[in-house]
Amino acid sequence: MFDIQEELKKLPDKPGVYLMHDKNDEIIYVGKAIVLKNRVRQYFQSSRNQTAKIRKMVSQIAYFEYIITGSELEALVLECNLIKEHRPKYNTMLKDDKNYPYIKVTVNEEYPRVLFARTMKRDKAKYYGPYTSAGAVKDTIELVRKIYKIRCCNRRLPKDIGKERPCLYYHMNQCKAPCQGYISGEEYKDSIKKAIDFLKGNYKDVVLKLEEKMMDAASQMEFEQAAEYRDLIASVKQISEKQNINQSDMEDQDVIGLAKAKEEAVAAVFSIRNGKLLGREHYHMTGVEDSTMEEIMTAFVKQLYSGTPFLPREIILQYPIEEEEIIQKWLSEKKGRKVTIAVPKKGKRHNLMELAYKNASAVLIQDSERIRREEKKTMGAMRELSELLGIPEIHRLEAFDISNTNGFENVASMVVFEDGRKKPRDYRKFKMKTVNGPDDYRSMEEVLTRRFLHGQRVLSERGGEKDEYDSFTKFPDVIMMDGGKGQVNVALKVLEDLHLSIPVCGMVKDDNHRTRGLYYNNEEILFPRGSEAFHMITRLQDEAHRFAIEYHKNLRGKTQIRSVLDEIKGVGPERRKALMRHFKDIQKIKEASVEELTQVDSITEKVAEEIYGFFHES
């Protein structure tokens, strides 16, 4: 048994990282400390100065562990890695886990290529970026290939020169076919050098040269060629215009603005490379309800830069961060040169930061609208249902449906909606054990009995404590039956026999098989026109039906192929497949003669007679 107070006395007077665990051994919080003894003890002292979030987290701590490090910097690096690996629920978390795209030039190859890359590797290639838009990267690569006639194939050159015919790109005049030796290695490398110059932002020279070529082609009345150059010029200008910031005093910078509303925050990041704005990216953060803007910004900076291989020379922030000196030291060591962090109060940098903040606010407002719409469809629908039925609070709905074909393979489904959303992890399938034939009432009685008996048994074994991994220990607030009075009465009888008190509703459909209303307390309740509760119950009923039908079809297909054919002497899996491929269905196999059966690959006359006899002997 872990004695927290005793373990607090053993904490060392050293820097390190601490990990808080709950009773299920899950890591719920990771933090770092300059002095572990002082920092960890603070959580278990007076809670008066703690936020509600921290108090809730502390109430769930079953035990803690710690890792001693050599310095505060080592602790910071380890903390970032552990947060990324375990994603603890009480840490302020970055929702997005993106890999920024790069443009990769394989200068380590004899005949280099220009490629799209998601990660920067130590492979002697040159990388340009990271960029925030994968689409823009692909457009740029395509343009570079067209202008400089760069190959895009995977042929191993010069080893494979002359082995195969030139590809379509050569015939489209988009590659000079080094695979055929139509261009020397020196000429090709000169094209690559120009392509690299272009990727560094030298668009002006490219446009001038293309304009010269366009005019030259036009003067020689090669109008089709001139049109190609015209289109390339337009593409280059379009890409250069996207770089809408170009200040000589700005090199590699990230500008970060932050906006917060209730339990969510959005950070907007402007990536400026070589003085040019490459784009904007935004990130959502959760678990921020009791955090200050400085705390959120600190968590964001640590998580963002622990996951990206590229670091700018300057990071411009809207809010100061905690531990700025140690974070700046960490980033500088990671980059291999000094990284500065600034919170500007005026000037160009301040204007950029304000722009980033406005972008973050706009995204937060848009997402708030989306969240409100989603909340109306889910929690709002649950509240409507509560008012409709007169039940104080409804969070969990369980719906049941039976599926069979003339009693063949009786199955049932249980689907779960929590707070108006599907919870597929809690869905369950049932195959009847005691019911033969098409008896939906007895089938439903068996299903409900099995479902709730199992739940009661597990709860009893655990002393009334719910099992997170067994959804049967969570009883619904309302049971939804696919049917009217008859199905509801079956459910009520089962609940009475098990001494359970759970409201039961029947989901009633009209003559067109569309959800019409609910049967509850011996009366039919109609939904208000266009209500969210109506739409949610329709989704629930359709989902229960779909899940049951899907399971039934799966079992029926297996049974038709296996239970019949596998009983025949001499018919194994391979012959069974051959028969089904040839005849398509069981009925045609039943009707086939011995001669027709022997037409199937691998079916000998002896086996054909066995099959024929199986279906025709009384």
Side-chain angles (χ1 to χ4, degrees), residues 418-430:
E418 277 194 3
D419 293 329
R421 292 180 175 87
K422 296 178 187 177
K423 198 176 183 189
R425 193 178 69 179
D426 286 2
Y427 287 12
R428 292 295 181 269
K429 303 168 183 173
F430 300 85

Side-chain angles (χ1 to χ4, degrees), residues 110-161:
E110 191 75 22
Y111 290 85
R113 294 168 293 159
V114 180
L115 305 172
F116 181 96
R118 276 288 178 192
T119 54
M120 185 187 286
K121 298 177 182 177
R122 295 188 178 183
D123 54 6
K124 297 182 180 178
K126 284 191 175 181
Y127 289 85
Y128 297 89
Y131 300 91
T132 55
S133 168
V137 169
K138 290 172 183 174
D139 290 344
T140 304
I141 290 171
E142 185 181 354
L143 181 60
V144 167
R145 286 174 179 169
K146 282 181 180 178
I147 293 173
Y148 301 105
K149 310 291 192 291
I150 306 295
R151 74 183 184 103
C152 57
C153 64
N154 293 320
R155 295 178 187 179
R156 292 173 296 174
L157 304 181
K159 184 180 177 181
D160 291 343
I161 287 178

Side-chain angles (χ1 to χ4, degrees), residues 254-292:
D254 281 351
V255 184
I256 304 174
L258 188 64
K260 176 189 172 188
K262 296 183 180 177
E263 297 180 1
E264 189 155 348
V266 170
V269 181
F270 283 2
S271 300
I272 299 169
R273 304 291 178 261
N274 296 319
K276 299 177 179 65
L277 178 65
L278 296 182
R280 180 214 75 184
E281 195 62 75
H282 64 265
Y283 299 83
H284 290 265
M285 303 193 75
T286 56
V288 302
E289 57 270 26
D290 292 323
S291 303
T292 65

Side-chain angles (χ1 to χ4, degrees), residues 40 61 110 218 418 456:
V40 178
I61 297 172
E110 191 75 22
E418 277 194 3
Q456 286 181 321

